[in-house]
């Protein structure tokens, strides 16, 4: 039996009463009773007040098992004290709401709280397309990307800017996770559909969602933020066109219409210049991008864009390499593409980058 994703709270008073016991056998008996009660407990059965910390049932049970296995009273009490601390203490790194006192729960793969800490992401599962998320927009990213970044680099109530909003994936995740979202998009048709989907997402955490039509190179951001009583955002998430791999519109200001790589980078740099002043100091900018081929050459767009950002007073925190699903066209012509790769001496793209920078 596994209890993945079942959450409970523990009454600290019960743990304190067990801690007062001075005989190993008695302590074990009391812990066994607690374990049995926990096994049959429904979610929230153990909740005592609104401030209680939610704990993962499977992790708590494994810690309880550790107490039962202890060979001495001192050891059992040591594990018990650790459980009590984790059940009563909230410890964060100051920029997110992740409880580091319960960090183990965040690293259990497959759970809904899972936080990726490795620089290699291999997502076998299909993208989450529930609720307002749908795959109507060619060139969108999987909601897991903004979800991970929001939980890692922001707190509830923080402000997040997405200057390449597209279908609004980031803003929908912002609503789900209780962050205020600010999206900019050049294409009015795309905004219309994105706004409809964003509105469909329930606003249970009462956040603000601001969407603007415009060119992210020169749209005035500060006045828009000031309307909501803020002057800074706590995270910028950028998912620009991978130059001309997908043409998003016929608009000459669209980065996917840049005539060459140099122009693309120039336009991209102008956007970084426009958004940087409203990012709070020491907070993060995330870039999601892939490379491309042109005339038989690998064009390292990701690294070129990385340089553009680093020239603007940011330090690089991480480069995550993430696999991506093949497009339907590529999947149907797999053999042909493999032949071309062998013939031309190149490798088929299977990855993109999530780069994380911190404003100095
Ligand atoms: C890769 S898509 C972003 C997709 C988005 N992450 C999603 O999940 O739907 C890039 C978007 O940037 C927009 N774009 C291109 N140039 C722009 C510019 N100068 N200002 C604002 N948006 C721009 C395109 O219209 C396109 O929708």
């Amino acid at each position: 039996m596994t209890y993945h994703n079942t959450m409970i709270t523990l009454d600290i008073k019960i743990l304190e009463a067990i801690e007062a016991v001075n005989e190993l056998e008695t302590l074990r008996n009391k812990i066994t009773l607690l374990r049995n009660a926990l096994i049959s407990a429904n979610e929230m059965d153990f909740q005592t007040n609104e401030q209680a910390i939610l704990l993962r049932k499977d992790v708590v049970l494994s810690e309880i098992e550790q107490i039962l296995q202890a060979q001495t009273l001192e050891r059992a009490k040591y594990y018990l004290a650790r459980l009590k601390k984790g059940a009563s203490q909230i410890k964060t790194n100051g920029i997110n709401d992740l409880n580091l006192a319960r960090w183990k729960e965040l690293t259990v793969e497959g759970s809904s709280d899972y936080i990726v800490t490795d620089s290699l992401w291999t997502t076998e599962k299909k993208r989450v397309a529930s609720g307002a998320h749908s795959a109507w927009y060619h060139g969108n990213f999987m909601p897991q990307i903004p979800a991970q970044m929001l939980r890692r680099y922001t707190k509830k109530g923080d402000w997040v800017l997405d200057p390449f909003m597209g279908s609004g994936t980031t803003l929908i995740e912002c609503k789900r996770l209780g962050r205020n979202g600010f999206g900019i998009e050049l294409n009015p048709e795309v905004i219309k559909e994105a706004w409809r989907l964003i509105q469909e997402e329930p606003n249970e955490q009462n956040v603000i969602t601001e969407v603007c039509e415009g060119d992210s190179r020169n749209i005035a951001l500060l006045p828009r933020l000031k309307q909501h009583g803020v002057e800074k955002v706590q995270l910028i998430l950028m998912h620009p066109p991978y130059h001309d791999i997908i043409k998003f519109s016929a608009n000459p200001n669209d980065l996917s219409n840049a005539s060459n790589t140099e122009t693309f980078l120039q336009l991209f740099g102008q956007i970084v210049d426009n958004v940087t002043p409203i990012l709070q100091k020491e907070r993060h900018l995330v870039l999601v991008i892939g490379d491309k081929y042109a005339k038989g050459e690998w064009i390292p767009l990701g690294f070129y864009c990385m340089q553009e950002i680093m020239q603007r007073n940011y330090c690089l925190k991480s480069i995550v390499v993430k696999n991506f699903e093949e497009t339907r066209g590529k999947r149907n012509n797999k053999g042909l593409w493999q032949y071309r790769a062998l013939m031309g001496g190149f490798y088929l793209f299977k990855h993109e980058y999530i780069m994380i920078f911190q404003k100095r």
Side-chain angles (χ1 to χ4, degrees):
M1 179 89 177
T2 57
Y3 300 98
H4 265 290
N5 301 339
T6 306
M7 305 302 287
I8 51 159
T9 58
L10 267 179
D11 189 338
I12 301 300
K13 289 198 191 82
I14 298 178
L15 297 180
E16 280 169 354
I18 302 175
E19 228 178 5
V21 170
N22 270 326
E23 209 254 318
L24 183 60
E25 215 38 52
T26 319
L27 187 141
R28 278 193 186 140
N29 290 342
K30 286 189 182 286
I31 287 286
T32 307
L33 285 176
L34 175 64
R35 183 189 61 185
N36 296 345
L38 277 173
I39 288 174
S40 52
N42 289 320
E43 190 158 334
M44 315 300 274
D45 268 5
F46 279 73
Q47 184 154 357
T48 48
N49 62 61
E50 279 184 10
Q51 305 303 315
I53 299 169
L54 281 176
L55 309 166
R56 288 236 344 220
K57 187 167 173 173
D58 57 344
V59 179
V60 171
L61 284 174
S62 87
E63 289 181 24
I64 283 186
E65 212 46 57
Q66 211 171 18
I67 302 172
L68 287 172
Q69 300 299 326
Q71 295 303 312
T72 63
L73 183 67
E74 290 68 41
R75 203 68 202 153
K77 285 201 173 185
Y78 167 78
Y79 290 137
L80 185 60
R82 206 172 59 180
L83 175 63
K84 199 178 98 185
K85 199 170 157 196
S88 57
Q89 206 185 56
I90 296 185
K91 183 177 166 199
T92 73
N93 70 359
I95 59 159
N96 59 38
D97 296 323
L98 302 175
N99 186 1
L100 294 174
R102 307 288 313 168
W103 66 271
K104 266 196 209 164
E105 297 171 22
L106 304 170
T107 59
V108 181
E109 237 174 300
S111 84
S112 58
D113 320 319
Y114 180 55
I115 291 285
V116 187
T117 47
D118 294 339
S119 69
L120 181 64
W121 289 21
T122 41
T123 51
E124 283 148 37
K125 272 187 284 162
K126 285 268 166 267
R127 46 185 69 213
V128 178
S130 61
H133 288 304
S134 61
W136 65 276
Y137 197 47
H138 187 44
N140 62 355
F141 55 25
M142 55 187 349
Q144 290 96 322
I145 296 178
Q148 285 285 327
M149 297 302 130
L150 293 173
R151 291 178 57 219
R152 192 84 191 269
Y153 298 109
T154 62
K155 296 175 184 210
K156 278 182 198 285
D158 276 352
W159 274 87
V160 178
L161 171 70
D162 181 344
F164 301 98
M165 184 191 80
S167 59
T169 316
T170 302
L171 270 55
I172 291 167
E173 283 307 308
C174 278
K175 265 183 133 177
R176 289 183 180 177
L177 295 167
R179 276 69 171 165
N180 300 298
F182 181 7
I184 305 158
E185 169 58 51
L186 196 61
N187 188 337
E189 292 303 307
V190 174
I191 292 191
K192 221 160 116 188
E193 180 58 8
W195 184 242
R196 191 185 67 74
L197 289 167
I198 293 167
Q199 296 290 90
E200 254 179 36
E201 183 65 32
N203 189 9
E204 281 163 5
Q205 309 197 47
N206 218 4
V207 295
I208 301 166
T209 306
E210 166 96 27
V211 167
C212 298
E213 182 190 328
D215 183 342
S216 289
R217 290 179 305 152
N218 48 34
I219 192 163
L221 301 166
L222 192 57
R224 306 262 179 183
L225 278 182
K226 278 187 168 170
Q227 279 176 5
H228 302 292
V230 288
E231 297 193 1
K232 298 281 179 203
V233 300
Q234 284 69 44
L235 176 70
I236 297 177
L237 194 44
M238 297 181 109
H239 184 212
Y242 303 178
H243 189 194
D244 51 2
I245 303 246
I246 298 174
K247 290 269 183 194
F248 285 98
S249 67
N251 189 325
N253 299 326
D254 183 330
L255 265 62
S256 67
N257 292 318
S259 53
N260 53 42
T261 308
E262 288 68 35
T263 314
F264 169 81
L265 291 171
Q266 214 174 20
L267 301 179
F268 176 76
Q270 288 166 5
I271 294 184
V272 180
D273 282 335
N274 193 32
V275 299
T276 296
I278 63 151
L279 177 63
Q280 194 178 316
K281 208 167 162 233
E282 290 177 10
R283 300 308 290 262
H284 297 81
L285 179 151
V286 173
L287 170 69
V288 181
I289 193 157
D291 294 330
K292 61 170 259 191
Y293 273 117
K295 299 190 185 108
E297 264 188 62
W298 182 296
I299 313 291
L301 276 187
F303 294 106
Y304 288 155
C305 287
M306 176 187 84
Q307 271 171 337
E308 288 294 323
I309 294 171
M310 290 180 72
Q311 281 162 14
R312 290 167 167 84
N313 213 21
Y314 285 90
C315 77
L316 179 66
K317 293 291 284 187
S318 278
I319 298 180
V320 172
V321 175
K322 176 192 156 293
N323 70 324
F324 62 67
E325 300 158 41
E326 290 166 314
T327 58
R328 208 173 301 131
K330 279 247 167 74
R331 217 170 19 245
N332 294 341
N333 290 310
K334 196 168 181 170
L336 175 66
W337 280 99
Q338 284 171 329
Y339 173 78
R340 283 181 179 161
L342 287 168
M343 181 73 172
F346 60 84
Y347 288 82
L348 299 174
F349 284 118
K350 279 284 190 158
H351 71 275
E352 57 194 344
Y353 309 102
I354 303 169
M355 298 178 172
I356 297 115
F357 306 87
Q358 188 175 26
K359 185 172 165 179
R360 289 185 202 273

